[in-house]
Amino acid sequence: MACEEPLLQANTTLSDSSLTDKHHNIIMACKLQGALVSCHSRTNKFIDQKERAASVVAQAVVTHQTKLPQFTVTYVPPPAPAIDNKPFETHHHIKHPSTSTSGKFGRFGGKFVPETIVACLSQLEAEFKNAIADDAFQAELAEALRDYAGRETPLYHAQRLSEYYKSRNNGKGPDIYLKREDLNHGGSHKMNNALAQAMIAKRMGCKSVVTATGSGQHGLATAAACAKLALECTVFMSARDIDRQYSNVRLMKLLGAQVEAVEGGFRDAASDAFRCWVGDLENKYHLTGSAVGPHPCPSMVREFQSVIGKETRMQALEKWGGKPDVLVACVGTGSNALGMFHEFVGDKDVRLIGVEGGGLGLESGKHSSTLTKGEVGVYHGAISYLLQDEHGQVLHPHSIAAGMEYPGVGPELSFLKESGRAEFCAATDEEALDAYQKLCKLEGIFPSLEAAHALGILHKLAPTLCDGTKVVVNCSGRGDKDAAIVFDRRLLDKQ
């Protein structure tokens, strides 16, 4: 896996006499993205951490070649679910693994980072564990989620949407419910994690927070949390995403955040946020909103988003006296999907369905379907599924939803795919646009284009389900930020 273009090429050789402080920072950022850097002098040479990295993945089984830095890992992947051709099947119960100190979910996850970052991540993990066990922290977070973020969010019966799909199947079909994360302060599920991590940053004595955002929803939530807690905030965002999600950018700036434009996409913004953090590890806190990266970042995001699933279980019991039969969530990097799924992983009778960005179609190469079409690799400090070419170079993802344009996915979702516990499929741009408009017209609700991907498979899923099946779709964000995109796209389609 090569470094991205602004850094160094993979397997770059540098003489130690040529190394400057700038080079050291670049090298650390390269390693954070999974590259191996060789350093040579007149008297010795070494390849840092190669043996350690190789030993982590040497246990894989042989048959399917997968690209990793300087070595290959092979495995036999389970069959991908074919939503177009057959009904979904209920999977056998798979025990969810507890996260080890190395942050592994099966063979996924870990810390593929330089030693300087390992020390900081270990400190973060210790503070995270202390906070989780601290009753005062939990009470403060619960109060903030209730009084500031507006939790709990409703579990809403989308009656007209349910009737629409039943009318197309002889009056029979599922009852569809929406978990209304779009009603959170800031307009998405992102506030759940942003508030908690900003509180941890405050506990650690950090004065400044850096982060990256795609759709702007995480950037907005982080900016709000930092304003509330008197923390400086810098948000990295691609220039293209700034243009198409400018309503969120304006709000971030009103909240006092500094928004830094980055060439490329969300993955490039994430890389620049890492670089900024690496440049000042003592004073800055990297507040990740995605369930990706080195441990403990994915586990922290999942833990703070798991309130979604916990509320869903309680609300389902109140509404119909049982559990949901099917949970559906969009998958960009995995934060909202894990927030919904995690509570139910141990319930073998609850199906978990993740929906990725199908873009212009899976065969077009213009998509963001990492779990559907990707292979295993190392990216941004962890092993997970990744979109890459035959040479191991990271591919540029595509989706009409800015928050889904990322070439990787979290290690925990990677494990859920490989174990067979969760099913993953894709919704195209057109299916997401249709679902956006359908929810607007039938329920008067504007979903984000990210959430519209989850809604975008209902026309395929609903006919395969028994009458009265309880389906809960995570409406992870509100879609007023996307209204111009939908309106302009539909105008173009009519011309």
Side-chain angles (χ1 to χ4, degrees):
M1 191 69 56
C3 260
E4 295 178 36
E5 201 59 39
L7 298 176
L8 299 173
Q9 296 300 315
N11 310 321
T12 297
T13 300
L14 295 172
S15 67
D16 47 2
S17 62
S18 68
L19 295 179
T20 65
D21 289 340
K22 179 180 178 181
H23 284 126
H24 283 297
N25 287 338
I26 292 174
I27 289 170
M28 283 194 291
C30 280
K31 289 179 178 179
L32 193 61
Q33 296 176 61
L36 298 174
V37 180
S38 299
C39 297
H40 298 268
S41 69
R42 294 180 181 177
T43 58
N44 62 72
K45 61 182 180 180
F46 62 93
I47 300 177
D48 188 39
Q49 296 189 6
K50 177 177 179 180
E51 291 79 8
R52 181 172 72 87
S55 66
V56 173
V57 292
Q59 304 171 357
V61 189
V62 183
T63 55
H64 184 79
Q65 190 179 57
T66 304
K67 283 75 71 177
L68 286 173
Q70 292 291 319
F71 46 81
T72 59
V73 172
T74 56
Y75 75 107
V76 183
I83 187 170
D84 293 299
N85 302 322
K86 65 179 181 180
F88 289 106
E89 299 175 356
T90 303
H91 291 288
H92 296 294
H93 173 55
I94 302 293
K95 184 178 179 181
H96 197 54
S98 59
T99 309
S100 68
T101 54
S102 60
K104 300 300 292 294
F105 299 91
R107 65 194 179 99
F108 300 102
K111 297 179 185 177
F112 284 80
V113 296
E115 293 304 322
T116 304
I117 306 298
V118 169
C120 293
L121 291 172
S122 297
Q123 180 187 2
L124 176 60
E125 181 181 6
E127 192 61 52
F128 167 56
K129 290 180 177 178
N130 289 338
I132 292 300
D134 185 349
D135 291 341
F137 175 87
Q138 293 287 8
E140 182 183 354
L141 177 59
E143 181 181 359
L145 289 174
R146 183 190 68 234
D147 298 341
Y148 184 74
R151 299 209 71 90
E152 63 186 50
T153 58
L155 183 62
Y156 168 73
H157 183 201
Q159 188 169 352
R160 290 196 65 207
L161 187 66
S162 301
E163 290 172 353
Y164 170 83
Y165 287 112
K166 289 180 180 181
S167 70
R168 301 168 68 87
N169 192 36
N170 299 318
K172 296 181 179 180
D175 295 320
I176 300 168
Y177 291 78
L178 305 179
K179 182 58 174 163
R180 296 293 307 278
E181 291 300 294
D182 56 309
L183 297 180
N184 247 352
H185 176 48
S188 78
H189 72 291
K190 294 293 187 179
M191 184 60 74
N192 306 328
N193 170 69
L195 264 177
Q197 285 209 53
M199 288 168 56
I200 289 178
K202 194 87 168 178
R203 284 169 65 103
M204 295 177 70
C206 297
K207 304 291 186 184
S208 177
V209 165
V210 296
T211 193
T213 190
S215 68
Q217 290 179 315
H218 172 64
L220 178 57
T222 301
C226 287
K228 181 182 186 302
L229 296 172
L231 295 167
E232 296 176 3
C233 180
T234 303
V235 180
F236 290 87
M237 192 173 186
S238 79
R240 178 169 176 260
D241 288 341
I242 287 176
D243 181 59
R244 60 177 170 169
Q245 307 278 238
Y246 196 69
S247 62
N248 277 341
V249 174
R250 282 195 297 260
L251 292 174
M252 283 184 256
K253 291 181 176 179
L254 284 171
L255 291 166
Q258 180 180 344
V259 181
E260 297 286 349
V262 176
E263 291 303 316
F266 172 60
R267 68 170 193 169
D268 304 287
S271 295
D272 273 20
F274 276 127
R275 292 186 187 97
C276 182
W277 176 53
V278 167
D280 190 6
L281 294 168
E282 295 296 323
N283 300 306
K284 286 183 167 57
Y285 181 95
H286 183 264
L287 200 160
T288 179
S290 306
V292 297
H295 180 67
C297 299
S299 296
M300 292 178 68
V301 173
R302 181 256 292 148
E303 174 65 27
F304 295 133
Q305 292 293 359
S306 65
V307 64
I308 301 171
K310 291 172 183 175
E311 286 182 2
T312 299
R313 181 186 291 277
M314 177 188 68
Q315 292 166 328
L317 188 63
E318 291 174 350
K319 285 182 176 293
W320 62 80
K323 296 178 290 189
D325 298 304
V326 183
L327 299 176
V328 185
C330 68
V331 175
T333 58
S335 62
N336 94 92
L338 279 174
M340 174 68 83
F341 293 169
H342 185 70
E343 173 70 14
F344 296 93
V345 166
D347 296 279
K348 64 181 180 180
D349 52 345
V350 178
R351 290 171 56 189
L352 313 177
I353 303 174
V355 186
E356 298 186 291
L360 304 183
L362 296 182
E363 303 309 316
S364 70
K366 302 284 188 182
H367 60 78
S368 298
S369 299
T370 306
L371 290 165
T372 309
K373 299 290 285 186
E375 299 178 60
V376 177
V378 175
Y379 192 59
H380 282 165
I383 297 177
S384 67
Y385 278 91
L386 178 65
L387 293 177
Q388 52 190 319
D389 64 18
E390 64 272 18
H391 305 295
Q393 301 301 304
V394 179
L395 296 174
H396 291 282
H398 164 80
S399 175
I400 196 169
M404 300 182 77
E405 280 192 337
Y406 185 74
V409 71
E412 195 164 354
L413 282 185
S414 295
F415 172 82
L416 292 179
K417 169 190 165 66
E418 190 166 90
S419 68
R421 178 61 186 94
E423 311 164 38
F424 296 93
C425 56
T428 64
D429 289 350
E430 284 300 316
E431 288 172 324
L433 287 165
D434 289 343
Y436 183 104
Q437 289 185 288
K438 191 178 277 91
L439 196 66
C440 287
K441 292 178 179 179
L442 293 178
E443 298 291 349
I445 296 171
F446 297 89
S448 65
L449 278 173
E450 290 79 16
H453 280 75
L455 296 160
I457 67 156
L458 291 178
H459 68 290
K460 298 175 183 177
L461 175 63
T464 72
L465 301 176
C466 296
D467 189 41
T469 299
K470 299 297 189 288
V471 176
V472 176
V473 180
N474 194 8
C475 189
S476 57
R478 70 173 185 235
D480 47 339
K481 69 182 181 64
D482 298 315
I485 297 173
V486 176
F487 188 75
D488 292 345
R489 179 68 173 266
R490 284 310 188 219
L491 278 182
L492 287 173
D493 291 345
K494 291 178 181 179
Q495 292 178 356

